Amino acid sequence: MSDIEPKDLYYHGNFFQQVFSSGGLSSSSSSSFLTTQNPNTSINQKLNMSPPSLQEFDSIGTSSYMSGFTTDDCLVQDPMEYYNSFMTTGFGLSSSSSEVVLSSINGGSTNYHQSPVTMMTTSSPQHDHSSISSSSTEAAGGGGGGDHQEDSSSGKKDQQPNGSEDKYQEDENSSKKVSKVKNNKKGEKKQKEPRFAFMTKSEVDHLEDGYRWRKYGQKAVKNSPYPRSYYRCTTQKCSVKKRVERSFQDPSVVITTYEGQHNHPLPSALRGNAAAAAAMFPPSMLAPTSSSSSLMVGSGAGGFGQEFLFQMPNNYMIGYNQLDAGSSSTAGSILSHVYQQSNINNSRMDDHDHQMQAAGDDYGLLQDMVPGSMFFKQEP
DNA sequence: CGAATTTGACCGGCGC
DNA sequence: GCGCCGGTCAAATTCG
């Protein structure tokens, strides 16, 4: 089941370092992402492959590429707080919304994104210019089930009762016009759900992840010949959405952005690759409670070994593997490691090849740690 | 025939 | 205020 060994993973750069040190994804900041290798693809091929999607992030910035990924989203005030909330409540930050950018470029043509390599997390503690406006309130936090960003707000003639994506009841006014009400109150913006994005090299746009999705829209992407598709989780009362688009510079790369957290376990048939694919997501992306979902995912993966590397602001970088996740009852028991990152400073896209090489060879396991003490502050 | 997708219209935010 | 743009709706269409 595990097509990829953890050691096959890596290339990574200093996306966060740049982001956080520069205060955002300015046009001059560089960013890079981990890629992963599929055994089906030769290393040479991989190395020779240009990383267009990465360049896009670099040169264009995320906001234009994945809408909603704005510079402000990349700010973190307290890495430790951020990390703790990330590990304990997943993406539900206590006081701010978050986004995670995970790059996973698989060499194969498989339908499944197989093994994540890097996860990059961002949050927007204060500002938000993205299309999905932030809420200064609990946003993703609250831990709470059932909140939704679409607001089922009552108040006005909103056409759909909370939660169900399918039934759009017509009110008596039943005009054909779309009358969606975004705000409950004047001045309040729509809540921003935690987001999680990753890039996958795949021939298919819609990657199998174990959940059922219904497409509800498609829009042309500016500056790209490829459209962006919008999906909703078909499970009742689950407000998770995802956007899928293809890199316009490298059509083989698919960018998937998840928004929100599933409030239910994986649908019935959790098997095979779907489970493996699902295993790449942080626990909270899969189910409401991190512990149970962690167990579920790990077990479902059946010994699926994979490794996450987290690169945090200010050169913090953490990682862990899930080799033994199946026997763990909670994420907290996952063996964790801290890696020393090679070439962390000033890595640029044109160092891409070198980074891959270096990352694969030079990653040093410094120590095993338990969650909660996973941060390693790199020397400048 | 019900479910899922397609697709053009609509909405709200934002910049000018 | 106007236009652009991302996101969503929902009727029409296609699919299984």
Side-chain angles (χ1 to χ4, degrees):
Chain A
M1 190 50 52
S2 62
D3 294 324
I4 294 180
E5 296 298 326
K7 60 176 173 291
D8 291 330
L9 306 177
Y10 331 148
Y11 154 80
H12 77 273
N14 57 348
F15 175 81
F16 277 98
Q17 179 188 14
Q18 296 291 338
V19 168
F20 291 101
S21 63
S22 64
L25 274 175
S26 64
S27 59
S28 60
S29 66
S30 66
S31 61
S32 55
F33 297 77
L34 293 190
T35 63
T36 184
Q37 302 230 143
N38 186 304
N40 299 328
T41 305
S42 70
I43 289 179
N44 288 338
Q45 177 183 348
K46 194 67 179 180
L47 292 175
N48 290 335
M49 184 188 77
S50 63
S53 58
L54 310 184
Q55 291 174 341
E56 290 164 9
F57 276 86
D58 182 26
S59 60
I60 298 175
T62 56
S63 62
S64 63
Y65 191 67
M66 291 192 287
S67 65
F69 280 68
T70 65
T71 59
D72 288 338
D73 289 333
C74 301
L75 298 175
V76 154
Q77 292 179 324
D78 183 350
M80 204 58 185
E81 172 187 297
Y82 173 79
Y83 169 69
N84 287 334
S85 64
F86 180 82
M87 291 303 289
T88 58
T89 64
F91 293 86
L93 294 179
S94 59
S95 60
S96 63
S97 58
S98 67
E99 290 181 348
V100 173
V101 178
L102 183 152
S103 170
S104 174
I105 298 180
N106 297 328
S109 60
T110 173
N111 292 345
Y112 308 101
H113 39 285
Q114 297 171 338
S115 185
V117 196
T118 307
M119 209 172 257
M120 290 179 230
T121 62
T122 65
S123 71
S124 55
Q126 293 167 347
H127 319 305
D128 184 318
H129 300 309
S130 67
S131 59
I132 297 175
S133 53
S134 69
S135 66
S136 57
T137 59
E138 78 278 8
D147 49 9
H148 321 316
Q149 89 251 17
E150 253 339 292
D151 78 302
S152 42
S153 69
S154 34
K156 301 185 178 178
K157 50 184 176 191
D158 75 289
Q159 74 233 44
Q160 74 188 33
N162 196 350
S164 61
E165 75 279 11
D166 282 339
K167 48 186 161 208
Y168 300 122
Q169 62 188 23
E170 300 267 339
D171 278 355
E172 56 281 5
N173 59 2
S174 77
S175 63
K176 298 187 65 171
K177 304 180 117 179
V178 176
S179 62
K180 60 181 169 182
V181 178
K182 299 257 180 185
N183 302 332
N184 292 344
K185 311 173 185 179
K186 59 180 72 174
E188 280 194 11
K189 294 182 179 179
K190 183 171 71 172
Q191 292 184 355
K192 184 177 184 177
E193 293 285 331
R195 285 203 215 165
F196 172 90
F198 60 92
M199 290 181 282
T200 307
K201 193 174 183 65
S202 172
E203 292 178 357
V204 296
D205 289 346
H206 195 192
L207 302 168
E208 180 59 56
D209 58 9
Y211 289 95
R212 302 267 307 163
W213 301 93
R214 173 172 299 178
K215 188 174 185 177
Y216 67 89
Q218 176 172 305
K219 290 285 288 187
V221 178
K222 195 176 180 182
N223 298 324
S224 172
Y226 305 100
R228 174 184 299 144
S229 296
Y230 299 87
Y231 297 88
R232 267 196 200 93
C233 181
T234 60
T235 301
Q236 293 283 326
K237 296 189 296 183
C238 181
S239 62
V240 175
K241 297 173 196 170
K242 77 174 179 180
R243 294 180 301 200
V244 176
E245 61 187 281
R246 204 165 269 283
S247 167
F248 68 92
Q249 288 190 0
D250 184 354
S252 66
V253 173
V254 173
I255 298 172
T256 305
T257 304
Y258 289 85
E259 181 177 328
Q261 300 182 41
H262 291 283
N263 57 12
H264 58 91
L266 276 168
S268 60
L270 174 63
R271 66 180 187 278
N273 287 329
M280 68 182 288
F281 299 103
S284 66
M285 293 302 292
L286 299 165
T289 60
S290 60
S291 60
S292 62
S293 62
S294 177
L295 173 61
M296 179 263 300
V297 169
S299 299
F304 181 80
Q306 63 180 221
E307 184 166 312
F308 295 92
L309 295 177
F310 293 82
Q311 185 170 348
M312 303 303 290
N314 302 322
N315 296 343
Y316 283 101
M317 185 169 177
I318 61 177
Y320 69 89
N321 63 50
Q322 282 193 173
L323 287 169
D324 59 344
S327 60
S328 302
S329 60
T330 69
S333 61
I334 295 173
L335 181 65
S336 303
H337 307 294
V338 173
Y339 291 86
Q340 182 173 31
Q341 180 183 4
S342 301
N343 302 326
I344 192 168
N345 51 340
N346 290 331
S347 59
R348 303 177 64 81
M349 299 320 301
D350 46 23
D351 288 333
H352 165 246
D353 289 356
H354 178 252
Q355 281 193 13
M356 287 186 72
Q357 190 72 46
D361 294 339
D362 299 339
Y363 259 108
L365 177 61
L366 297 183
Q367 66 186 87
D368 291 349
M369 305 178 73
V370 295
S373 60
M374 288 175 66
F375 282 98
F376 171 72
K377 181 64 159 57
Q378 289 196 264
E379 297 301 328

